[in-house]
Amino acid sequence: MGSLAYREDLEEEKSSAFTWEVKANNRAYNNQFKEKAFLCWQRKKYKGNVIHTAKYNFFSFLPLNLYEQFHHTSNLYFLFIIILQGIPDISTLPWFTLFTPLVCLLVIRGTRDLVDDIGRHRSDKIVNNRPCQVLVGKSFLRKKWKNLHVGDLVCLHKDNMVPADILLLASTEPNSLCYVETADIDGETNLKFRQALMVTHNELTSVRKMASFQGKVVCEEPNSQMHHFVGCLEWEGKKYPLDINNILLRGCKIQNTDTCYGMVIYAGFDTKIMRNCGKIHLKRTKIDRLINRLVVLIFMSLVLISTALTLGFWYKVTEFKAKHHYVSKIHVHSVATESFFIFWGFLILLSVMVPMAMFIIAEFIYLGNSIFINWDVQMYYEPHDMPAKARNTSLTDQLGQVEYVFSDKTGTLTENIMTFKKCCINGIVYELACLPPPSPLQENPYLWNRFADGKLLFHNARLLSTVLGKKDRMVQEFWRLLAICHTVMVQEKGNQLLYEAASPDEEALVTAARNFGYVFLARTQDSITVMELGKERVYQVLAMMDFNSIRKRMSVLVRSPEGSIYLYTKGADTVIFDRLYNKGLTECTTEEALASFAQQTLRTLCLAYKKVDEDSYEEWHHRHQEASIRLQNRAHALHQVYNEMEQNLQLLGATAIEDKLQDGVLETIQCLKQGNIKVWVLTGDKQETAVNIGFACQLLSEDMIILEEKEIVQILDTCWENNNLLNGKGCLKNWFPSQIKMAMVINGEFLDQLLLSLRKESRALMQNVNVNMESWQEPEEQKTKFLQTRRISLMWQTLGTQLRNRGLGPQSKDSGIHESPEVRQEQAFVELALRCHAVICCRVTPKQKALIVALVKQYQDVVTLAIGDGANDVNMIKTADIGVGLAGQEGMQAVLNSDYVLAQFCFLRRLLLVHGRWSYMRVCKFLRYFVYKTLASMMVQIWFAFYSGFTAQPLYEGWFLAFYNLLYTTFPVLYIGLFEQDVSAKRSLELPELYITGQKDQLFNYWVFLQAIAHGTATSLINFFMTLWIIHDTAGPLSFSDYQSFSVVVGLSCLLSITIEAILIIKYWTVLFVLAILFSLCLYMVTTWASQSFQLFIISPKTFPFLYADRNVMFHPSVLLMVLLNVSLNILPVLALRIIYQALKKPYPKEKEETPTEGIITMELPPYLQQASCRRRSSYAFSHREGYADLITQGTILQRSPGVNGNMLPGHRIPSDEELDPSIKESPWYHRKSFLKKRHQHSGKVSSEDMQPTSMVSSSLTVEGQFSFTKNVAASTKWQSRSSHEKLPRKQARPYSHPGSLPATKERPPSPRESQLPLSESRPLPSGQSYLQSQPASLEEKMTFWKMSLLSQKSLPYIWQKEPQPHQEAPLPNETHTPVVEILPPSRGDSSTSQQLMELMEVEPLPAERQLSPKE
């Protein structure tokens, strides 16, 4: 991360000023804003909506690609040699002999890059040409995305992708709600809702009014914060605050909303998702970087050798001129000049030590191994017709060296499909029965139910017969609770019921009840209709107490058709069991079932209910009304009131839902762990959900110590206090012994505070106190969070001061040689993370995912791989050394930016352990062999120089040098690089430990390179000097002591020696390899016979001087014996050494657990490392956000709004186009029909008086009849005032006899277990505030410091906080403002008492304390 991330953060901090002004329907106004581009040149400040993710264009391809290719040191080396060859005085070889292969190499690599970039251009073209509807004049016309500009008004329909960051102005949903799916942004597929401002909802009711809309948005500059937005709308002299809940981000998908309208705020690369996409990085493998260093090393060696040979030439030429003055015309220049030319001549002659052929053949090897990946049928996913694909052909060898895998969760590890697996009712566990395959008539046991969707895989004949028997009251109440206690919405489509849930878990539970005959049909503001085994029943909803992770439960208070009042509650077992009025055998059996479900990593909920008598309800209703209108501590009061009702419950049972993993995920992760590959999960999902998946994947286990924010800070703090951080790297490794298995679970907010708190502390604190308004806490609570954040910063500031005082830190700005405290901070954190067996990062943004990968790459020399399936994973995929995109359900953005494409996560196992390991082994063996054969043949030139007067005369025939790497040795080398296998694919999967070889760089490193040099040098010495020794002092017609014969014998000995070496090192023999050997030898014979033929000699004697040299030598038996002797001396000693080495080599001992030493570990762990109680069996209840309870009880979500009506239809002409979604053809203003027309519906339009300002106080209670919001508040004043803290009389619990005899709602004393939950139950319940009233909080971000305070050793003050509202992620409170008193317009029927009450009400401040118009 380092300074680069710091600069980016500073730029974002500077851009947080509110200088972004966009005016609707006014391009001329928006185009007047300019920004400085270069020197005095200015450009438009607001970018268009065109995106370009490709690296090159028509003009930049050639220069930019050449610039990238000449980053390879070898290419620079070859270019330098070609320039030298172009100088006639020093050239020993023609310039084109090296120029032609270099051009071929550049063309091959350039073509590969061009093909990849053409794919990006095509993708960009598809995205930029997507259709959308833009307001032009007074009608919406079809335009392309690339034609959008800031300030334009657009119309979106169901299933449309949002083309830019848009301010929502109105929609066809009630109160201009808009439902979106953000899977491409945060990985979550559950629906979220956004809402337009009430002023635009009420005013912009037609196309004509939208055309005249001249509002101006003033907001922050574009940034990468996905869940944060601050701005205001200025319109008609008034200002209206905006936050992220009013914004539709690019990449979102419109769901369950017919039509919505918005104004473009950010376009193109200014959008938040594009700000998180990152840049395309030039990826190079570890072997590639090693070769670059080796090329430099070889070049320096050649310079030294050429210098030494030049000195020899200086001595020889001086001696030659003194003794043979009569031939002085040969040396016309001075000795110094001749030596200078000879130096460059030797450098050119020895340049073949870095063979161009090696790089050309390597490209074909990379391409071939990539094709094998594409052809692997074992990685073909038939359901989607999706094979594996290698989009980058230069990284195959690095697939065999991966040490860290960074994986997304949703869509990558999981299918995001919640399946109802098991249940426990009244102590009896019902699970999927393992029966023989049923007959076709018995295939679906739910055919008797016309409402069954046929998708439920849970079949249990015993449970089904009990349900149909209608005799077991507990079973009836169990399924009735699942059909009633939820916030699911239902709509009809094609005579089918479609459920819309706040989470897939809720939908799975309601769907299970639906298939068992308890069908949720419809709901109104104060009623819910259920079809119970064919009988329709309407329940009056008296109160809804919604889920959140603080309450960990949801309750619904209903009145049955018979007039009885029942409370149905579902939630975490830790909460429900503390509220039971009796604990007997059933409860114990249920707890055992819950433990069993948790061992199977199922997500569980406990279900309970009770009957409430009328008198208790009336008393509770009075207290609830009083609590809901309190001006201070309302959340605290509502918490107590809710808690009073949710007591003395009767346990019904428990449900178990499986967050289904993709096929083979568990086996793949276990296999990767055996191969020493660490898997980190980086997800935008909630912490509890991610932890549950961690247990399901066995990344986490019960014996692990899971470190969260509090423990991490204390560990680092303790290490600092003990001066361990001053010892450099490895301190934490010694601090924690290997016996302690640890895992780390952190979130994005904590990463920002820990890693960036020192260098941008003001920003971190500003985010937590001023900007990060999600928490909606009391001032004391925010002050506590402020101090906790400050403590982390001060810890590292103090560390930096101590380091500087000791001379270990930077003393000044100029002293950059020492590590800064923030660098030490990052090193310590990374070291702790690497010490953990698993790391799970939750609620991280796309940019944070990339920064985590970059952090590991910076401080560890390891190969990283990132795998994901959504647009939120693109930045991570680009940053990692290897990016793998899954062709999932979240679009193709990850695929288009990846290096490899897979259909399933399980194929990663074969990609790494088989193809990756094979490719690494092949490339390493190829490089080692190529270096050996090059030195074996070319080092002879150096030995020959001692006998040629150091004249740089080549020993070999020119054609032998030309064809040596091209024909004579190419095919064995290609076979090694393409087909070599040390073990089979099956064995590679069975022994993942073999993969560790690549991680440790054992097959090709400096030592292996030196071995190859020594081996090649020894071969060249034997071939040259053995031949020279045998032919010494021989002459005559039978002698082969002449120059040409000597050259042929040495060349043939070298060729046969390296061919037999290839035969010995190959482990995978096939017919193809035998043919490659024979074909290479045949090519040598044919080309040698042709180049030494008489016909070619006549044509050009200088080009073909070796006339019949090979033929004359080969017919002498003594020559053949000499060649055989040379080959034997080269092969036998090496073979003997290898056999002896394998015999003496000790097998790798199994890793034994190190015994702890006294200086490292004691028997007792530190207090902050003690195992906490496991909460994962109720992870669903812990992580569930608020549903739609407030919207339901207020009627906001259930009725059409007055601001969206048919008046807009005549002016809105939607052009017909086949590319548009079919849903566009439907009228966007058509009101929903009821599923059953005979069913009574509470419908109607909301009057302007009923649409209260956002500061109105609402209640989650709905009494009989349908009241407007103001009427409810007014009616509440008729009740006699009662303190919200008043206690009900206690009543002792009695044994359970019959559900009808359950005790009425009374308060019981808190149990010891309940009293031990300091913050889990003392936290307030969500208030009944309207969604429009408050700016809610991101629950996960608030949970970060809530957990830290929960685990803190120091007791914190008991503080109550206001609760977040559903699906609000980045609100912006301002605590420096004072509350505003708002006078509400009177409605009909309001009494004077209610008017006085409303005049005296003091509402809570909103972001920037906006002033609301009377009409709003």
Side-chain angles (χ1 to χ4, degrees):
M1 283 166 55
S3 59
L4 178 60
Y6 185 31
R7 287 196 299 269
E8 293 178 355
D9 294 323
L10 287 180
E11 290 176 1
E12 286 195 9
E13 188 172 353
K14 293 178 181 178
S15 66
S16 61
F18 298 97
T19 58
W20 193 266
E21 297 183 10
V22 179
K23 198 168 186 179
N25 296 319
N26 197 334
R27 288 192 179 182
Y29 176 84
N30 298 327
N31 289 337
Q32 70 179 351
F33 294 96
K34 305 291 183 180
E35 65 180 0
K36 184 178 179 180
F38 179 73
L39 296 178
C40 298
W41 180 59
Q42 291 186 334
R43 61 185 177 188
K44 292 181 180 179
K45 180 178 181 180
Y46 303 142
K47 297 180 176 63
N49 204 40
V50 180
I51 61 168
H52 299 289
T53 61
K55 294 171 60 177
Y56 316 108
N57 56 38
F58 181 80
F59 299 101
S60 66
F61 170 73
L62 188 60
L64 186 57
N65 187 260
L66 288 176
Y67 172 77
E68 291 178 350
Q69 292 210 47
F70 281 103
H71 269 71
H72 294 273
T73 311
S74 58
N75 290 345
L76 290 175
Y77 170 76
F78 294 136
L79 181 63
F80 175 69
I81 298 299
I82 290 172
I83 294 174
L84 294 180
Q85 287 182 340
I87 303 175
D89 291 336
I90 63 176
S91 176
T92 56
L93 296 173
W95 63 272
F96 54 83
T97 58
L98 198 59
F99 178 78
T100 303
L102 179 62
V103 172
C104 293
L105 180 62
L106 297 178
V107 169
I108 292 173
R109 290 176 173 173
T111 303
R112 179 193 63 196
D113 296 337
L114 180 62
V115 171
D116 293 341
D117 209 57
I118 289 175
R120 298 188 187 98
H121 276 283
R122 290 175 178 172
S123 171
D124 294 342
K125 185 177 180 180
I126 293 174
V127 172
N128 291 328
N129 290 330
R130 285 178 179 172
C132 65
Q133 293 176 265
V134 184
L135 182 62
V136 180
K138 295 184 178 181
S139 62
F140 283 92
L141 302 179
R142 187 177 69 88
K143 297 287 184 179
K144 296 179 180 179
W145 279 24
K146 63 182 180 181
N147 297 325
L148 276 179
H149 292 81
V150 294
D152 289 352
L153 267 62
V154 298
C155 174
L156 301 174
H157 301 276
K158 184 179 179 182
D159 295 328
N160 284 172
M161 298 295 293
V162 180
D165 290 351
I166 292 174
L167 170 64
L168 181 62
L169 298 177
S171 77
T172 56
E173 293 299 305
N175 295 287
S176 286
L177 292 173
C178 180
Y179 299 92
V180 295
E181 181 183 282
T182 60
D184 273 359
I185 294 178
D186 55 17
E188 297 184 8
T189 55
N190 55 297
L191 297 185
K192 301 178 177 63
F193 63 84
R194 301 290 181 258
Q195 188 168 20
L197 293 175
M198 293 310 301
V199 61
T200 59
H201 162 73
N202 292 326
E203 295 295 331
L204 302 181
T205 57
S206 66
V207 177
R208 178 180 55 82
K209 292 183 178 181
M210 286 193 176
S212 62
F213 176 63
Q214 291 295 318
K216 183 173 72 172
V217 173
V218 180
C219 59
E220 59 188 359
E221 293 284 325
N223 55 66
S224 61
Q225 300 180 34
M226 300 295 300
H227 306 295
H228 175 259
F229 177 82
V230 183
C232 68
L233 172 64
E234 299 179 3
W235 188 28
E236 297 178 349
K238 298 180 181 179
K239 295 183 179 181
Y240 307 92
L242 301 173
D243 59 28
I244 193 64
N245 303 293
N246 308 121
I247 304 298
L248 303 179
L249 298 181
R250 179 186 177 115
C252 294
K253 188 175 183 180
I254 306 298
Q255 294 283 12
N256 299 335
T257 303
D258 293 332
T259 307
C260 65
Y261 299 86
M263 168 185 170
V264 177
I265 304 298
Y266 304 127
F269 285 102
D270 287 334
T271 57
K272 292 183 178 294
I273 187 64
M274 296 305 297
R275 286 268 174 166
N276 278 276
C277 279
K279 298 179 181 179
I280 299 176
H281 302 278
L282 179 62
K283 296 185 177 182
R284 300 169 64 184
T285 65
K286 293 178 69 175
I287 291 181
D288 190 17
R289 294 191 293 268
L290 176 60
I291 288 178
N292 282 337
R293 294 191 292 269
L294 292 178
V295 168
V296 175
L297 182 62
I298 292 174
F299 177 74
M300 295 174 62
S301 302
L302 293 182
V303 170
L304 294 177
I305 294 174
S306 300
T307 302
L309 295 176
T310 301
L311 293 176
F313 172 79
W314 184 301
Y315 171 76
K316 281 290 184 180
V317 74
T318 304
E319 182 183 3
F320 185 83
K321 284 186 175 183
K323 292 183 178 180
H324 307 283
H325 56 86
Y326 49 88
V327 290
S328 58
K329 292 183 179 180
I330 299 178
H331 304 283
V332 296
H333 300 288
S334 64
V335 175
T337 305
E338 291 282 351
S339 300
F340 177 78
F341 290 155
I342 286 295
F343 170 79
W344 295 110
F346 273 119
L347 196 62
I348 295 173
L349 182 64
L350 299 178
S351 65
V352 292
M353 293 292 186
V354 184
M356 174 72 70
M358 182 178 74
F359 297 94
I360 297 177
I361 295 175
E363 291 297 324
F364 288 101
I365 290 176
Y366 285 130
L367 178 62
N369 284 305
S370 300
I371 293 175
F372 293 154
I373 293 175
N374 300 342
W375 288 351
D376 192 347
V377 295
Q378 299 295 328
M379 295 194 295
Y380 171 72
Y381 190 59
E382 188 174 359
H384 293 169
D385 189 25
M386 177 63 64
K389 183 179 180 181
R391 301 182 73 251
N392 191 330
T393 60
S394 61
L395 301 176
T396 52
D397 60 294
Q398 194 152 251
L399 288 173
Q401 298 179 281
V402 175
E403 287 193 51
Y404 287 88
V405 171
F406 299 91
S407 173
D408 183 34
K409 183 188 75 69
T410 306
T412 303
L413 299 178
T414 67
E415 297 181 356
N416 204 40
I417 298 176
M418 303 300 171
T419 308
F420 190 92
K421 296 292 290 185
K422 299 180 181 182
C423 63
C424 177
I425 307 177
N426 200 24
I428 302 175
V429 177
Y430 300 94
E431 55 187 350
L432 182 63
C434 298
L435 299 175
S439 62
L441 296 178
Q442 299 175 343
E443 195 167 323
N444 187 357
Y446 305 110
L447 292 177
W448 55 272
N449 182 4
R450 66 187 181 95
F451 292 102
D453 61 356
K455 300 178 181 179
L456 183 65
L457 301 178
F458 177 75
H459 299 161
N460 190 287
R462 178 186 176 189
L463 178 59
L464 187 59
S465 62
T466 305
V467 171
L468 296 178
K470 303 181 182 180
K471 295 181 180 180
D472 193 327
R473 176 66 182 275
M474 301 294 286
V475 173
Q476 293 178 6
E477 294 294 344
F478 179 90
W479 294 111
R480 184 177 292 123
L481 185 149
L482 293 181
I484 292 176
C485 186
H486 56 78
T487 59
V488 177
M489 301 301 298
V490 63
Q491 64 175 338
E492 173 195 3
K493 185 175 182 181
N495 294 326
Q496 293 291 329
L497 291 176
L498 296 181
Y499 291 150
E500 305 167 8
S503 70
D505 304 74
E506 284 242 286
E507 183 178 355
L509 294 174
V510 178
T511 302
R514 167 183 178 176
N515 283 272
F516 273 90
Y518 288 78
V519 186
F520 165 55
L521 292 179
R523 76 178 338 132
T524 64
Q525 183 176 352
D526 58 354
S527 69
I528 184 169
T529 306
V530 179
M531 182 73 71
E532 297 182 359
L533 299 177
K535 181 180 179 181
E536 182 178 326
R537 292 168 61 87
V538 179
Y539 292 85
Q540 181 185 0
V541 180
L542 303 178
M544 293 186 70
M545 311 167 202
D546 205 356
F547 249 124
N548 63 50
S549 60
I550 306 298
R551 280 173 44 79
K552 300 184 282 292
R553 63 189 181 275
M554 175 188 177
S555 298
V556 175
L557 191 63
V558 298
R559 189 186 300 273
S560 68
E562 294 79 14
S564 301
I565 300 177
Y566 290 93
L567 176 73
Y568 294 102
T569 303
K570 64 181 180 181
D573 58 320
T574 56
V575 177
I576 299 299
F577 275 83
D578 283 338
R579 284 160 177 76
L580 300 179
Y581 86 99
N582 183 31
K583 295 183 180 179
L585 181 60
T586 301
E587 287 72 18
C588 295
T589 307
T590 305
E591 279 198 294
E592 294 177 359
L594 286 169
S596 175
F597 296 162
Q599 291 296 327
Q600 302 169 48
T601 67
L602 301 176
R603 297 153 66 93
T604 61
L605 275 180
C606 282
L607 312 182
Y609 86 116
K610 74 173 180 180
K611 185 176 182 180
V612 183
D613 60 56
E614 196 72 32
D615 295 338
S616 299
Y617 166 69
E618 292 295 339
E619 292 182 10
W620 180 86
H621 171 71
H622 297 168
R623 292 192 299 276
H624 181 271
Q625 284 293 93
E626 290 182 359
S628 62
I629 62 174
R630 290 190 62 171
L631 304 183
Q632 295 181 350
N633 295 327
R634 185 184 304 118
H636 184 185
L638 284 172
H639 166 79
Q640 287 190 335
V641 172
Y642 289 166
N643 199 32
E644 289 175 6
M645 176 58 69
E646 295 168 328
Q647 301 292 336
N648 299 327
L649 302 176
Q650 169 64 36
L651 182 66
L652 288 173
T655 62
I657 295 178
E658 178 187 28
D659 189 358
K660 189 175 181 182
L661 296 174
Q662 290 188 7
D663 293 337
V665 167
L666 178 60
E667 295 79 5
T668 299
I669 291 180
Q670 293 305 308
C671 195
L672 295 180
K673 290 171 65 177
Q674 294 177 15
N676 195 36
I677 300 175
K678 299 177 179 62
V679 180
W680 289 21
V681 177
L682 312 180
T683 177
D685 211 341
K686 296 172 285 292
Q687 178 169 328
E688 290 79 11
T689 305
V691 170
N692 193 72
I693 294 300
F695 278 100
C697 298
Q698 295 186 8
L699 284 175
L700 305 178
S701 59
E702 297 290 353
D703 59 343
M704 281 186 177
I705 297 175
I706 300 179
L707 304 179
E708 296 186 359
E709 292 89 342
K710 177 67 177 181
E711 293 86 356
I712 294 171
V713 172
Q714 291 203 11
I715 289 173
L716 297 179
D717 198 0
T718 304
C719 291
W720 157 53
E721 291 174 355
N722 288 275
N723 297 324
N724 283 308
L725 286 177
L726 303 178
N727 297 331
K729 292 185 177 181
C731 59
L732 289 172
K733 183 177 180 180
N734 296 328
W735 185 263
F736 297 106
S738 59
Q739 290 85 353
I740 298 180
K741 298 176 63 177
M742 297 189 302
M744 182 181 291
V745 179
I746 52 179
N747 60 26
E749 181 187 6
F750 178 73
L751 282 174
D752 279 340
Q753 294 162 352
L754 181 64
L755 299 180
L756 305 179
S757 57
L758 180 60
R759 53 179 175 247
K760 55 170 190 172
E761 179 183 358
S762 58
R763 177 184 172 189
L765 298 179
M766 178 268 295
Q767 286 182 348
N768 279 281
V769 180
N770 296 330
V771 178
N772 190 10
M773 300 276 183
E774 295 101 302
S775 49
W776 274 95
Q777 298 167 337
E778 300 292 343
E780 293 81 2
E781 183 76 15
Q782 290 190 344
K783 182 178 179 181
T784 302
K785 292 182 64 177
F786 178 93
L787 294 176
Q788 290 173 335
T789 308
R790 178 74 176 178
R791 177 179 176 272
I792 299 175
S793 299
L794 290 177
M795 181 183 75
W796 293 110
Q797 281 184 338
T798 309
L799 171 61
T801 303
Q802 289 194 359
L803 293 176
R804 286 189 290 270
N805 293 336
R806 294 167 179 254
L808 298 174
Q811 305 298 326
S812 64
K813 295 182 179 180
D814 298 330
S815 60
I817 58 175
H818 299 292
E819 292 181 342
S820 61
E822 52 265 35
V823 172
R824 288 184 175 271
Q825 168 190 348
E826 289 181 349
Q827 288 178 343
F829 173 74
V830 171
E831 191 173 346
L832 178 61
L834 298 179
R835 173 65 183 82
C836 297
H837 290 72
V839 176
I840 298 178
C841 302
C842 317
R843 308 303 293 173
V844 288
T845 64
K847 186 175 182 180
Q848 287 175 326
K849 290 184 178 182
L851 290 178
I852 293 172
V853 177
L855 193 69
V856 175
K857 288 176 60 178
Q858 179 173 352
Y859 293 111
Q860 292 290 319
D861 185 21
V862 295
V863 177
T864 58
L865 181 146
I867 181 171
D869 68 328
N872 57 322
D873 305 315
V874 169
N875 203 348
M876 173 179 69
I877 288 174
K878 290 179 179 179
T879 306
D881 295 309
I882 302 172
V884 178
L886 293 186
Q889 303 175 358
E890 299 183 12
M892 299 294 289
Q893 289 298 317
V895 169
L896 296 174
N897 290 276
S898 64
D899 303 308
Y900 297 90
V901 180
L902 300 176
Q904 293 280 288
F905 181 86
C906 60
F907 296 147
L908 184 65
R909 174 188 180 190
R910 186 173 179 87
L911 179 68
L912 297 182
L913 301 185
V914 177
H915 291 281
R917 202 183 66 82
W918 276 353
S919 297
Y920 171 74
M921 179 267 300
R922 291 166 179 168
V923 170
C924 291
K925 186 172 286 190
F926 155 77
L927 292 174
R928 197 264 182 207
Y929 178 73
F930 214 102
V931 171
Y932 158 73
K933 80 180 187 68
T934 300
L935 290 173
S937 60
M938 299 308 163
M939 286 291 288
V940 175
Q941 298 283 0
I942 299 176
W943 319 137
F944 182 67
F946 288 89
Y947 296 90
S948 63
F950 301 98
T951 56
Q953 177 185 358
L955 170 64
Y956 298 117
E957 179 191 10
W959 292 106
F960 180 86
L961 290 175
F963 291 128
Y964 178 75
N965 286 323
L966 184 62
L967 295 178
Y968 303 159
T969 60
T970 299
F971 295 101
V973 166
L974 276 175
Y975 183 88
I976 292 174
L978 293 176
F979 304 104
E980 172 66 338
Q981 298 179 16
D982 53 351
V983 295
S984 64
K986 180 180 179 181
R987 195 64 176 166
S988 297
L989 296 175
E990 292 175 351
L991 297 174
E993 296 81 4
L994 297 175
Y995 191 83
I996 302 177
T997 301
Q999 296 175 342
K1000 296 182 178 180
D1001 301 326
Q1002 292 181 352
L1003 297 186
F1004 191 78
N1005 48 44
Y1006 288 108
W1007 175 242
V1008 174
F1009 178 71
L1010 291 177
Q1011 287 179 346
I1013 291 178
H1015 190 187
T1017 303
T1019 301
S1020 66
L1021 287 171
I1022 292 174
N1023 291 333
F1024 183 84
F1025 287 103
M1026 282 299 299
T1027 305
L1028 183 64
W1029 177 67
I1030 292 175
I1031 67 172
H1032 184 64
D1033 292 335
T1034 60
L1038 298 179
S1039 174
F1040 48 90
S1041 59
D1042 60 288
Y1043 161 69
Q1044 292 186 354
S1045 299
F1046 180 79
S1047 173
V1048 169
V1049 172
V1050 174
L1052 182 60
S1053 300
C1054 176
L1055 180 62
L1056 292 178
S1057 298
I1058 63 174
T1059 301
I1060 295 178
E1061 173 68 15
I1063 294 174
L1064 292 177
I1065 64 175
I1066 287 290
K1067 296 183 179 180
Y1068 186 62
W1069 277 61
T1070 61
V1071 176
L1072 187 62
F1073 175 64
V1074 176
L1075 294 177
I1077 296 295
L1078 296 177
F1079 192 62
S1080 297
L1081 296 178
C1082 291
L1083 282 176
Y1084 169 75
M1085 297 173 62
V1086 172
T1087 55
T1088 302
W1089 175 85
S1091 65
Q1092 298 178 7
S1093 65
F1094 182 73
Q1095 291 79 6
L1096 294 179
F1097 176 78
I1098 295 176
I1099 296 174
S1100 178
K1102 290 184 178 181
T1103 307
F1104 304 96
F1106 279 59
L1107 178 61
Y1108 297 141
D1110 191 69
R1111 188 180 309 176
N1112 293 333
V1113 171
M1114 296 298 292
F1115 284 103
H1116 293 282
S1118 59
V1119 174
L1120 297 180
L1121 289 174
M1122 183 184 303
V1123 172
L1124 179 61
L1125 176 62
N1126 290 340
V1127 173
S1128 302
L1129 291 176
N1130 286 325
I1131 298 302
L1132 294 179
V1134 175
L1135 183 61
L1137 288 175
R1138 290 174 180 171
I1139 294 175
I1140 294 173
Y1141 174 76
Q1142 291 296 332
L1144 299 179
K1145 182 181 178 181
K1146 297 180 180 180
Y1148 287 108
K1150 295 183 179 180
E1151 295 184 0
K1152 298 181 180 180
E1153 295 185 355
E1154 299 178 0
T1155 56
T1157 59
E1158 296 180 359
I1160 296 180
I1161 185 175
T1162 58
M1163 296 302 295
E1164 187 175 355
L1165 295 176
Y1168 47 82
L1169 289 183
Q1170 299 296 331
Q1171 292 270 17
S1173 60
C1174 181
R1175 302 174 300 171
R1176 65 184 177 88
R1177 70 182 187 184
S1178 297
S1179 61
Y1180 166 59
F1182 275 77
S1183 64
H1184 199 293
R1185 292 182 177 181
E1186 293 88 342
Y1188 305 135
D1190 285 342
L1191 301 177
I1192 292 171
T1193 54
Q1194 297 163 21
T1196 304
I1197 202 172
L1198 297 171
Q1199 53 193 4
R1200 291 293 176 184
S1201 61
V1204 183
N1205 50 49
N1207 297 334
M1208 189 179 289
L1209 187 59
H1212 186 181
R1213 301 296 181 186
I1214 302 176
S1216 61
D1217 193 285
E1218 295 180 358
E1219 296 181 19
L1220 295 179
D1221 192 86
S1223 63
I1224 300 177
K1225 301 177 182 179
E1226 302 177 3
S1227 174
W1229 310 110
Y1230 186 76
H1231 290 252
R1232 294 181 180 176
K1233 300 179 181 179
S1234 63
F1235 182 72
L1236 296 174
K1237 295 182 179 180
K1238 64 179 181 178
R1239 186 176 304 119
H1240 175 70
Q1241 299 285 345
H1242 296 275
S1243 61
K1245 295 183 178 179
V1246 181
S1247 63
S1248 60
E1249 292 83 9
D1250 295 336
M1251 292 306 273
Q1252 300 300 333
T1254 58
S1255 58
M1256 276 294 299
V1257 181
S1258 65
S1259 171
S1260 295
L1261 176 68
T1262 304
V1263 296
E1264 295 186 28
Q1266 182 178 3
F1267 298 96
S1268 68
F1269 181 75
T1270 306
K1271 291 179 181 179
N1272 281 339
V1273 176
S1276 66
T1277 61
K1278 300 177 182 179
W1279 298 100
Q1280 184 178 358
S1281 176
R1282 177 187 294 265
S1283 172
S1284 63
H1285 298 279
E1286 183 177 348
K1287 302 295 183 179
L1288 290 173
R1290 298 180 181 175
K1291 184 175 182 178
Q1292 293 182 352
R1294 48 185 176 142
Y1296 172 74
S1297 58
H1298 188 273
S1301 62
L1302 289 178
T1305 305
K1306 302 294 180 182
E1307 172 125 323
R1308 64 171 176 82
S1311 64
R1313 182 178 180 181
E1314 181 180 357
S1315 62
Q1316 294 174 2
L1317 299 175
L1319 290 178
S1320 62
E1321 283 310 316
S1322 63
R1323 294 280 175 171
L1325 300 177
S1327 66
Q1329 299 171 1
S1330 167
Y1331 163 75
L1332 298 174
Q1333 168 195 349
S1334 60
Q1335 301 294 330
S1338 171
L1339 183 58
E1340 288 70 22
E1341 296 183 6
K1342 182 179 68 178
M1343 283 289 290
T1344 301
F1345 283 106
W1346 175 77
K1347 292 178 182 176
M1348 293 179 65
S1349 61
L1350 179 64
L1351 298 171
S1352 177
Q1353 295 177 348
K1354 299 180 180 180
S1355 60
L1356 297 178
Y1358 189 78
I1359 302 171
W1360 292 101
Q1361 62 183 8
K1362 289 182 174 58
E1363 287 302 316
Q1365 298 296 322
H1367 304 284
Q1368 305 291 317
E1369 295 174 336
L1372 306 160
N1374 191 339
E1375 300 200 13
T1376 61
H1377 294 280
T1378 56
V1380 179
V1381 178
E1382 184 75 12
I1383 306 301
L1384 298 177
S1387 59
R1388 290 180 298 174
D1390 284 348
S1391 63
S1392 58
T1393 307
S1394 64
Q1395 294 180 4
Q1396 295 175 1
L1397 174 64
M1398 300 307 295
E1399 290 177 358
L1400 295 175
M1401 284 183 60
E1402 180 175 323
V1403 298
E1404 298 171 8
L1406 288 174
E1409 282 301 325
R1410 62 175 181 177
Q1411 297 295 331
L1412 302 175
S1413 63
K1415 190 166 187 178
E1416 183 183 358

